[in-house]
Amino acid sequence: FGEMVLVAIFTIALYMAFSLITKKNSQRQERSFTGMSIALFALVSVILVSAFQRLQLYESVYGFTRTRTNVHVFMIFLGLFFVTLVAVELLGKRKNFTLLLLAASSLYIGTLLVLNVDAFVVRANIVNHQENEIIDVAYLASLSENAVPVIWEGIQEQGESTQALIAALGCRSANQSRLEAGASWQSFTFAGKAADEAVEAFGQSSFANRLGESGQEGISYPEVQVDGEVYSCLALFRGVED
């Protein structure tokens, strides 16, 4: 991904540099520059599409993470940015490049805020879990408070096939009990309140009866059992300890 971003940056910088220093005294020269610019964007787009396909392959097998979600959205906006650059070049509006770059950056950040990355990660991984039965319980439990209500919704919607989600919420409940002792009113957030309500509702539901601790001795981090199967909370509590 880093290499692809560098290629994109160098491509845009090359385009802008040559658009400023080259002399285009005739319509033929103008058309030649436009054609070569579009060809350059098209070649970089091939790399972008290839990288996007590989990312989707990772997501389909291993699920979504914060990083993969951010990269996923960024690639989409980068592709749209190249398409817009082509339109700007064809219309002869190169002077609007700075405004275009600012608008693209603002839209990218705004999209992530509206998307609510942690909640999206949970929803996407629930769908992925239904298709290939792979889900990272400790990672889901390590997400922010925004993820907790979505995990609880997934448990309610999936019914009997919620073993992994119950484990994730069980890990989250254990983590919450560790942090509550040092909590203060300054740490209040609406997302945290929603997470607390979801954990409380889970604790009062019949799903909580399927949850239990592993009971293994000599383990410095919690594990939970759901219907007799053990799930590790290591990733969650390692993050808390760090």
PDB file of all heavy atoms in Angstrom, residues 72-103:
ATOM      1  N   HIS A  72      -9.131   0.693   2.421  1.00  0.00           N
ATOM      2  CA  HIS A  72     -10.205   0.398   1.470  1.00  0.00           C
ATOM      3  C   HIS A  72     -10.872   1.691   1.004  1.00  0.00           C
ATOM      4  O   HIS A  72     -11.032   1.920  -0.207  1.00  0.00           O
ATOM      5  CB  HIS A  72     -11.228  -0.515   2.152  1.00  0.00           C
ATOM      6  CG  HIS A  72     -12.255  -1.094   1.240  1.00  0.00           C
ATOM      7  ND1 HIS A  72     -12.359  -2.436   0.968  1.00  0.00           N
ATOM      8  CD2 HIS A  72     -13.252  -0.501   0.527  1.00  0.00           C
ATOM      9  CE1 HIS A  72     -13.357  -2.646   0.133  1.00  0.00           C
ATOM     10  NE2 HIS A  72     -13.917  -1.489  -0.147  1.00  0.00           N
ATOM     11  N   VAL A  73     -11.247   2.529   1.966  1.00  0.00           N
ATOM     12  CA  VAL A  73     -11.902   3.803   1.626  1.00  0.00           C
ATOM     13  C   VAL A  73     -10.936   4.720   0.885  1.00  0.00           C
ATOM     14  O   VAL A  73     -11.311   5.400  -0.084  1.00  0.00           O
ATOM     15  CB  VAL A  73     -12.432   4.487   2.896  1.00  0.00           C
ATOM     16  CG1 VAL A  73     -13.031   5.853   2.575  1.00  0.00           C
ATOM     17  CG2 VAL A  73     -13.480   3.613   3.579  1.00  0.00           C
ATOM     18  N   PHE A  74      -9.663   4.737   1.322  1.00  0.00           N
ATOM     19  CA  PHE A  74      -8.673   5.602   0.681  1.00  0.00           C
ATOM     20  C   PHE A  74      -8.485   5.223  -0.787  1.00  0.00           C
ATOM     21  O   PHE A  74      -8.394   6.108  -1.657  1.00  0.00           O
ATOM     22  CB  PHE A  74      -7.338   5.496   1.415  1.00  0.00           C
ATOM     23  CG  PHE A  74      -6.254   6.366   0.840  1.00  0.00           C
ATOM     24  CD1 PHE A  74      -6.158   7.703   1.197  1.00  0.00           C
ATOM     25  CD2 PHE A  74      -5.342   5.865  -0.077  1.00  0.00           C
ATOM     26  CE1 PHE A  74      -5.167   8.518   0.660  1.00  0.00           C
ATOM     27  CE2 PHE A  74      -4.351   6.656  -0.620  1.00  0.00           C
ATOM     28  CZ  PHE A  74      -4.265   7.993  -0.251  1.00  0.00           C
ATOM     29  N   MET A  75      -8.427   3.927  -1.078  1.00  0.00           N
ATOM     30  CA  MET A  75      -8.247   3.492  -2.469  1.00  0.00           C
ATOM     31  C   MET A  75      -9.413   3.927  -3.344  1.00  0.00           C
ATOM     32  O   MET A  75      -9.225   4.322  -4.502  1.00  0.00           O
ATOM     33  CB  MET A  75      -8.088   1.971  -2.527  1.00  0.00           C
ATOM     34  CG  MET A  75      -6.744   1.465  -2.070  1.00  0.00           C
ATOM     35  SD  MET A  75      -6.604  -0.320  -2.337  1.00  0.00           S
ATOM     36  CE  MET A  75      -4.919  -0.598  -1.783  1.00  0.00           C
ATOM     37  N   ILE A  76     -10.620   3.853  -2.798  1.00  0.00           N
ATOM     38  CA  ILE A  76     -11.793   4.288  -3.563  1.00  0.00           C
ATOM     39  C   ILE A  76     -11.694   5.775  -3.889  1.00  0.00           C
ATOM     40  O   ILE A  76     -11.911   6.201  -5.035  1.00  0.00           O
ATOM     41  CB  ILE A  76     -13.082   3.986  -2.782  1.00  0.00           C
ATOM     42  CG1 ILE A  76     -13.289   2.472  -2.669  1.00  0.00           C
ATOM     43  CG2 ILE A  76     -14.286   4.650  -3.450  1.00  0.00           C
ATOM     44  CD1 ILE A  76     -14.460   2.079  -1.805  1.00  0.00           C
ATOM     45  N   PHE A  77     -11.334   6.583  -2.889  1.00  0.00           N
ATOM     46  CA  PHE A  77     -11.210   8.020  -3.114  1.00  0.00           C
ATOM     47  C   PHE A  77     -10.043   8.342  -4.042  1.00  0.00           C
ATOM     48  O   PHE A  77     -10.127   9.289  -4.833  1.00  0.00           O
ATOM     49  CB  PHE A  77     -11.051   8.756  -1.780  1.00  0.00           C
ATOM     50  CG  PHE A  77     -12.348   9.153  -1.169  1.00  0.00           C
ATOM     51  CD1 PHE A  77     -13.010   8.292  -0.312  1.00  0.00           C
ATOM     52  CD2 PHE A  77     -12.938  10.375  -1.466  1.00  0.00           C
ATOM     53  CE1 PHE A  77     -14.221   8.650   0.251  1.00  0.00           C
ATOM     54  CE2 PHE A  77     -14.142  10.738  -0.903  1.00  0.00           C
ATOM     55  CZ  PHE A  77     -14.789   9.871  -0.037  1.00  0.00           C
ATOM     56  N   LEU A  78      -8.963   7.569  -3.947  1.00  0.00           N
ATOM     57  CA  LEU A  78      -7.837   7.798  -4.852  1.00  0.00           C
ATOM     58  C   LEU A  78      -8.239   7.518  -6.291  1.00  0.00           C
ATOM     59  O   LEU A  78      -7.883   8.274  -7.215  1.00  0.00           O
ATOM     60  CB  LEU A  78      -6.661   6.913  -4.446  1.00  0.00           C
ATOM     61  CG  LEU A  78      -5.350   7.112  -5.227  1.00  0.00           C
ATOM     62  CD1 LEU A  78      -4.868   8.554  -5.113  1.00  0.00           C
ATOM     63  CD2 LEU A  78      -4.280   6.141  -4.732  1.00  0.00           C
ATOM     64  N   GLY A  79      -8.998   6.446  -6.493  1.00  0.00           N
ATOM     65  CA  GLY A  79      -9.488   6.144  -7.833  1.00  0.00           C
ATOM     66  C   GLY A  79     -10.402   7.236  -8.360  1.00  0.00           C
ATOM     67  O   GLY A  79     -10.289   7.659  -9.523  1.00  0.00           O
ATOM     68  N   LEU A  80     -11.312   7.720  -7.508  1.00  0.00           N
ATOM     69  CA  LEU A  80     -12.200   8.814  -7.914  1.00  0.00           C
ATOM     70  C   LEU A  80     -11.417  10.090  -8.186  1.00  0.00           C
ATOM     71  O   LEU A  80     -11.773  10.870  -9.085  1.00  0.00           O
ATOM     72  CB  LEU A  80     -13.246   9.061  -6.830  1.00  0.00           C
ATOM     73  CG  LEU A  80     -14.267   7.941  -6.604  1.00  0.00           C
ATOM     74  CD1 LEU A  80     -15.166   8.275  -5.415  1.00  0.00           C
ATOM     75  CD2 LEU A  80     -15.105   7.714  -7.854  1.00  0.00           C
ATOM     76  N   PHE A  81     -10.333  10.289  -7.418  1.00  0.00           N
ATOM     77  CA  PHE A  81      -9.504  11.474  -7.618  1.00  0.00           C
ATOM     78  C   PHE A  81      -8.840  11.432  -8.992  1.00  0.00           C
ATOM     79  O   PHE A  81      -8.780  12.447  -9.697  1.00  0.00           O
ATOM     80  CB  PHE A  81      -8.453  11.556  -6.517  1.00  0.00           C
ATOM     81  CG  PHE A  81      -7.605  12.794  -6.570  1.00  0.00           C
ATOM     82  CD1 PHE A  81      -8.141  14.043  -6.297  1.00  0.00           C
ATOM     83  CD2 PHE A  81      -6.263  12.717  -6.909  1.00  0.00           C
ATOM     84  CE1 PHE A  81      -7.361  15.193  -6.352  1.00  0.00           C
ATOM     85  CE2 PHE A  81      -5.472  13.852  -6.968  1.00  0.00           C
ATOM     86  CZ  PHE A  81      -6.019  15.089  -6.687  1.00  0.00           C
ATOM     87  N   PHE A  82      -8.342  10.268  -9.401  1.00  0.00           N
ATOM     88  CA  PHE A  82      -7.737  10.130 -10.726  1.00  0.00           C
ATOM     89  C   PHE A  82      -8.771  10.363 -11.825  1.00  0.00           C
ATOM     90  O   PHE A  82      -8.472  11.001 -12.848  1.00  0.00           O
ATOM     91  CB  PHE A  82      -7.097   8.753 -10.890  1.00  0.00           C
ATOM     92  CG  PHE A  82      -5.723   8.643 -10.293  1.00  0.00           C
ATOM     93  CD1 PHE A  82      -5.378   7.590  -9.468  1.00  0.00           C
ATOM     94  CD2 PHE A  82      -4.757   9.599 -10.566  1.00  0.00           C
ATOM     95  CE1 PHE A  82      -4.116   7.492  -8.915  1.00  0.00           C
ATOM     96  CE2 PHE A  82      -3.487   9.512 -10.028  1.00  0.00           C
ATOM     97  CZ  PHE A  82      -3.164   8.452  -9.194  1.00  0.00           C
ATOM     98  N   VAL A  83      -9.973   9.842 -11.625  1.00  0.00           N
ATOM     99  CA  VAL A  83     -11.036  10.055 -12.616  1.00  0.00           C
ATOM    100  C   VAL A  83     -11.343  11.552 -12.740  1.00  0.00           C
ATOM    101  O   VAL A  83     -11.510  12.083 -13.851  1.00  0.00           O
ATOM    102  CB  VAL A  83     -12.305   9.282 -12.217  1.00  0.00           C
ATOM    103  CG1 VAL A  83     -13.477   9.675 -13.120  1.00  0.00           C
ATOM    104  CG2 VAL A  83     -12.060   7.779 -12.311  1.00  0.00           C
ATOM    105  N   THR A  84     -11.386  12.243 -11.605  1.00  0.00           N
ATOM    106  CA  THR A  84     -11.650  13.675 -11.612  1.00  0.00           C
ATOM    107  C   THR A  84     -10.522  14.447 -12.275  1.00  0.00           C
ATOM    108  O   THR A  84     -10.751  15.429 -12.999  1.00  0.00           O
ATOM    109  CB  THR A  84     -11.860  14.190 -10.177  1.00  0.00           C
ATOM    110  OG1 THR A  84     -12.836  13.388  -9.521  1.00  0.00           O
ATOM    111  CG2 THR A  84     -12.325  15.632 -10.187  1.00  0.00           C
ATOM    112  N   LEU A  85      -9.262  13.995 -12.052  1.00  0.00           N
ATOM    113  CA  LEU A  85      -8.123  14.641 -12.718  1.00  0.00           C
ATOM    114  C   LEU A  85      -8.221  14.518 -14.234  1.00  0.00           C
ATOM    115  O   LEU A  85      -7.878  15.459 -14.961  1.00  0.00           O
ATOM    116  CB  LEU A  85      -6.812  14.013 -12.226  1.00  0.00           C
ATOM    117  CG  LEU A  85      -6.256  14.503 -10.891  1.00  0.00           C
ATOM    118  CD1 LEU A  85      -4.957  13.794 -10.575  1.00  0.00           C
ATOM    119  CD2 LEU A  85      -6.043  16.013 -10.907  1.00  0.00           C
ATOM    120  N   VAL A  86      -8.668  13.363 -14.692  1.00  0.00           N
ATOM    121  CA  VAL A  86      -8.856  13.175 -16.137  1.00  0.00           C
ATOM    122  C   VAL A  86      -9.895  14.170 -16.657  1.00  0.00           C
ATOM    123  O   VAL A  86      -9.706  14.807 -17.711  1.00  0.00           O
ATOM    124  CB  VAL A  86      -9.289  11.726 -16.440  1.00  0.00           C
ATOM    125  CG1 VAL A  86      -9.712  11.594 -17.906  1.00  0.00           C
ATOM    126  CG2 VAL A  86      -8.147  10.757 -16.141  1.00  0.00           C
ATOM    127  N   ALA A  87     -11.013  14.309 -15.895  1.00  0.00           N
ATOM    128  CA  ALA A  87     -12.052  15.254 -16.312  1.00  0.00           C
ATOM    129  C   ALA A  87     -11.527  16.682 -16.308  1.00  0.00           C
ATOM    130  O   ALA A  87     -11.812  17.471 -17.228  1.00  0.00           O
ATOM    131  CB  ALA A  87     -13.258  15.128 -15.380  1.00  0.00           C
ATOM    132  N   VAL A  88     -10.735  17.030 -15.279  1.00  0.00           N
ATOM    133  CA  VAL A  88     -10.154  18.370 -15.204  1.00  0.00           C
ATOM    134  C   VAL A  88      -9.236  18.629 -16.379  1.00  0.00           C
ATOM    135  O   VAL A  88      -9.229  19.717 -16.974  1.00  0.00           O
ATOM    136  CB  VAL A  88      -9.393  18.534 -13.864  1.00  0.00           C
ATOM    137  CG1 VAL A  88      -8.503  19.763 -13.897  1.00  0.00           C
ATOM    138  CG2 VAL A  88     -10.375  18.620 -12.707  1.00  0.00           C
ATOM    139  N   GLU A  89      -8.443  17.631 -16.745  1.00  0.00           N
ATOM    140  CA  GLU A  89      -7.518  17.773 -17.877  1.00  0.00           C
ATOM    141  C   GLU A  89      -8.285  17.937 -19.190  1.00  0.00           C
ATOM    142  O   GLU A  89      -7.934  18.776 -20.028  1.00  0.00           O
ATOM    143  CB  GLU A  89      -6.599  16.557 -17.945  1.00  0.00           C
ATOM    144  CG  GLU A  89      -5.619  16.562 -19.100  1.00  0.00           C
ATOM    145  CD  GLU A  89      -4.660  17.730 -19.062  1.00  0.00           C
ATOM    146  OE1 GLU A  89      -4.315  18.196 -17.950  1.00  0.00           O
ATOM    147  OE2 GLU A  89      -4.263  18.198 -20.150  1.00  0.00           O
ATOM    148  N   LEU A  90      -9.320  17.148 -19.381  1.00  0.00           N
ATOM    149  CA  LEU A  90     -10.104  17.240 -20.617  1.00  0.00           C
ATOM    150  C   LEU A  90     -10.812  18.579 -20.731  1.00  0.00           C
ATOM    151  O   LEU A  90     -10.973  19.119 -21.838  1.00  0.00           O
ATOM    152  CB  LEU A  90     -11.126  16.097 -20.674  1.00  0.00           C
ATOM    153  CG  LEU A  90     -10.561  14.686 -20.890  1.00  0.00           C
ATOM    154  CD1 LEU A  90     -11.659  13.650 -20.746  1.00  0.00           C
ATOM    155  CD2 LEU A  90      -9.899  14.579 -22.267  1.00  0.00           C
ATOM    156  N   LEU A  91     -11.224  19.135 -19.599  1.00  0.00           N
ATOM    157  CA  LEU A  91     -11.936  20.424 -19.608  1.00  0.00           C
ATOM    158  C   LEU A  91     -10.995  21.621 -19.556  1.00  0.00           C
ATOM    159  O   LEU A  91     -11.444  22.764 -19.639  1.00  0.00           O
ATOM    160  CB  LEU A  91     -12.906  20.485 -18.412  1.00  0.00           C
ATOM    161  CG  LEU A  91     -14.062  19.475 -18.429  1.00  0.00           C
ATOM    162  CD1 LEU A  91     -14.832  19.541 -17.128  1.00  0.00           C
ATOM    163  CD2 LEU A  91     -14.982  19.726 -19.613  1.00  0.00           C
ATOM    164  N   GLY A  92      -9.694  21.339 -19.393  1.00  0.00           N
ATOM    165  CA  GLY A  92      -8.723  22.419 -19.334  1.00  0.00           C
ATOM    166  C   GLY A  92      -8.819  23.263 -18.075  1.00  0.00           C
ATOM    167  O   GLY A  92      -8.591  24.481 -18.104  1.00  0.00           O
ATOM    168  N   LYS A  93      -9.141  22.632 -16.951  1.00  0.00           N
ATOM    169  CA  LYS A  93      -9.312  23.339 -15.678  1.00  0.00           C
ATOM    170  C   LYS A  93      -8.196  22.977 -14.689  1.00  0.00           C
ATOM    171  O   LYS A  93      -8.445  22.737 -13.511  1.00  0.00           O
ATOM    172  CB  LYS A  93     -10.681  22.996 -15.068  1.00  0.00           C
ATOM    173  CG  LYS A  93     -11.869  23.306 -15.956  1.00  0.00           C
ATOM    174  CD  LYS A  93     -12.067  24.803 -16.120  1.00  0.00           C
ATOM    175  CE  LYS A  93     -13.330  25.105 -16.926  1.00  0.00           C
ATOM    176  NZ  LYS A  93     -13.546  26.555 -17.106  1.00  0.00           N
ATOM    177  N   ARG A  94      -6.961  22.965 -15.145  1.00  0.00           N
ATOM    178  CA  ARG A  94      -5.854  22.541 -14.275  1.00  0.00           C
ATOM    179  C   ARG A  94      -5.671  23.461 -13.076  1.00  0.00           C
ATOM    180  O   ARG A  94      -5.136  23.042 -12.046  1.00  0.00           O
ATOM    181  CB  ARG A  94      -4.553  22.494 -15.080  1.00  0.00           C
ATOM    182  CG  ARG A  94      -4.594  21.551 -16.281  1.00  0.00           C
ATOM    183  CD  ARG A  94      -3.225  21.410 -16.918  1.00  0.00           C
ATOM    184  NE  ARG A  94      -3.314  20.718 -18.194  1.00  0.00           N
ATOM    185  CZ  ARG A  94      -3.254  21.318 -19.373  1.00  0.00           C
ATOM    186  NH1 ARG A  94      -3.108  22.639 -19.436  1.00  0.00           N
ATOM    187  NH2 ARG A  94      -3.342  20.625 -20.488  1.00  0.00           N
ATOM    188  N   LYS A  95      -6.080  24.690 -13.172  1.00  0.00           N
ATOM    189  CA  LYS A  95      -5.898  25.638 -12.075  1.00  0.00           C
ATOM    190  C   LYS A  95      -6.734  25.272 -10.846  1.00  0.00           C
ATOM    191  O   LYS A  95      -6.507  25.787  -9.755  1.00  0.00           O
ATOM    192  CB  LYS A  95      -6.265  27.047 -12.538  1.00  0.00           C
ATOM    193  CG  LYS A  95      -5.303  27.602 -13.585  1.00  0.00           C
ATOM    194  CD  LYS A  95      -5.686  29.022 -13.971  1.00  0.00           C
ATOM    195  CE  LYS A  95      -4.720  29.584 -15.010  1.00  0.00           C
ATOM    196  NZ  LYS A  95      -5.076  30.977 -15.401  1.00  0.00           N
ATOM    197  N   ASN A  96      -7.714  24.371 -11.040  1.00  0.00           N
ATOM    198  CA  ASN A  96      -8.572  23.967  -9.926  1.00  0.00           C
ATOM    199  C   ASN A  96      -8.006  22.785  -9.144  1.00  0.00           C
ATOM    200  O   ASN A  96      -8.687  22.207  -8.293  1.00  0.00           O
ATOM    201  CB  ASN A  96      -9.965  23.594 -10.441  1.00  0.00           C
ATOM    202  CG  ASN A  96     -10.685  24.784 -11.041  1.00  0.00           C
ATOM    203  OD1 ASN A  96     -10.473  25.919 -10.614  1.00  0.00           O
ATOM    204  ND2 ASN A  96     -11.516  24.536 -12.037  1.00  0.00           N
ATOM    205  N   PHE A  97      -6.746  22.404  -9.428  1.00  0.00           N
ATOM    206  CA  PHE A  97      -6.169  21.211  -8.807  1.00  0.00           C
ATOM    207  C   PHE A  97      -6.134  21.324  -7.281  1.00  0.00           C
ATOM    208  O   PHE A  97      -6.494  20.382  -6.566  1.00  0.00           O
ATOM    209  CB  PHE A  97      -4.754  20.973  -9.334  1.00  0.00           C
ATOM    210  CG  PHE A  97      -4.023  19.865  -8.629  1.00  0.00           C
ATOM    211  CD1 PHE A  97      -4.268  18.541  -8.958  1.00  0.00           C
ATOM    212  CD2 PHE A  97      -3.107  20.141  -7.617  1.00  0.00           C
ATOM    213  CE1 PHE A  97      -3.613  17.515  -8.301  1.00  0.00           C
ATOM    214  CE2 PHE A  97      -2.443  19.127  -6.961  1.00  0.00           C
ATOM    215  CZ  PHE A  97      -2.700  17.812  -7.309  1.00  0.00           C
ATOM    216  N   THR A  98      -5.689  22.449  -6.749  1.00  0.00           N
ATOM    217  CA  THR A  98      -5.580  22.619  -5.291  1.00  0.00           C
ATOM    218  C   THR A  98      -6.925  22.482  -4.617  1.00  0.00           C
ATOM    219  O   THR A  98      -7.067  21.800  -3.586  1.00  0.00           O
ATOM    220  CB  THR A  98      -4.966  23.986  -4.954  1.00  0.00           C
ATOM    221  OG1 THR A  98      -3.684  24.112  -5.585  1.00  0.00           O
ATOM    222  CG2 THR A  98      -4.802  24.140  -3.457  1.00  0.00           C
ATOM    223  N   LEU A  99      -7.945  23.106  -5.193  1.00  0.00           N
ATOM    224  CA  LEU A  99      -9.300  23.011  -4.650  1.00  0.00           C
ATOM    225  C   LEU A  99      -9.793  21.569  -4.706  1.00  0.00           C
ATOM    226  O   LEU A  99     -10.425  21.077  -3.757  1.00  0.00           O
ATOM    227  CB  LEU A  99     -10.237  23.926  -5.428  1.00  0.00           C
ATOM    228  CG  LEU A  99     -11.700  23.956  -4.975  1.00  0.00           C
ATOM    229  CD1 LEU A  99     -11.798  24.445  -3.533  1.00  0.00           C
ATOM    230  CD2 LEU A  99     -12.528  24.836  -5.906  1.00  0.00           C
ATOM    231  N   LEU A 100      -9.477  20.884  -5.794  1.00  0.00           N
ATOM    232  CA  LEU A 100      -9.877  19.493  -5.955  1.00  0.00           C
ATOM    233  C   LEU A 100      -9.215  18.609  -4.902  1.00  0.00           C
ATOM    234  O   LEU A 100      -9.863  17.746  -4.301  1.00  0.00           O
ATOM    235  CB  LEU A 100      -9.503  19.016  -7.362  1.00  0.00           C
ATOM    236  CG  LEU A 100      -9.739  17.542  -7.680  1.00  0.00           C
ATOM    237  CD1 LEU A 100     -11.224  17.221  -7.596  1.00  0.00           C
ATOM    238  CD2 LEU A 100      -9.201  17.205  -9.068  1.00  0.00           C
ATOM    239  N   LEU A 101      -7.931  18.808  -4.656  1.00  0.00           N
ATOM    240  CA  LEU A 101      -7.202  18.019  -3.669  1.00  0.00           C
ATOM    241  C   LEU A 101      -7.763  18.257  -2.269  1.00  0.00           C
ATOM    242  O   LEU A 101      -7.931  17.310  -1.487  1.00  0.00           O
ATOM    243  CB  LEU A 101      -5.716  18.378  -3.708  1.00  0.00           C
ATOM    244  CG  LEU A 101      -4.796  17.596  -2.772  1.00  0.00           C
ATOM    245  CD1 LEU A 101      -4.841  16.108  -3.087  1.00  0.00           C
ATOM    246  CD2 LEU A 101      -3.369  18.125  -2.875  1.00  0.00           C
ATOM    247  N   LEU A 102      -8.069  19.512  -1.937  1.00  0.00           N
ATOM    248  CA  LEU A 102      -8.641  19.840  -0.633  1.00  0.00           C
ATOM    249  C   LEU A 102     -10.015  19.200  -0.465  1.00  0.00           C
ATOM    250  O   LEU A 102     -10.335  18.661   0.608  1.00  0.00           O
ATOM    251  CB  LEU A 102      -8.742  21.359  -0.491  1.00  0.00           C
ATOM    252  CG  LEU A 102      -9.325  21.885   0.826  1.00  0.00           C
ATOM    253  CD1 LEU A 102      -8.474  21.446   2.003  1.00  0.00           C
ATOM    254  CD2 LEU A 102      -9.439  23.406   0.792  1.00  0.00           C
ATOM    255  N   ALA A 103     -10.824  19.236  -1.508  1.00  0.00           N
ATOM    256  CA  ALA A 103     -12.166  18.648  -1.441  1.00  0.00           C
ATOM    257  C   ALA A 103     -12.084  17.136  -1.254  1.00  0.00           C
ATOM    258  O   ALA A 103     -12.827  16.556  -0.448  1.00  0.00           O
ATOM    259  CB  ALA A 103     -12.946  18.985  -2.704  1.00  0.00           C
TER     260      ALA A 103
END
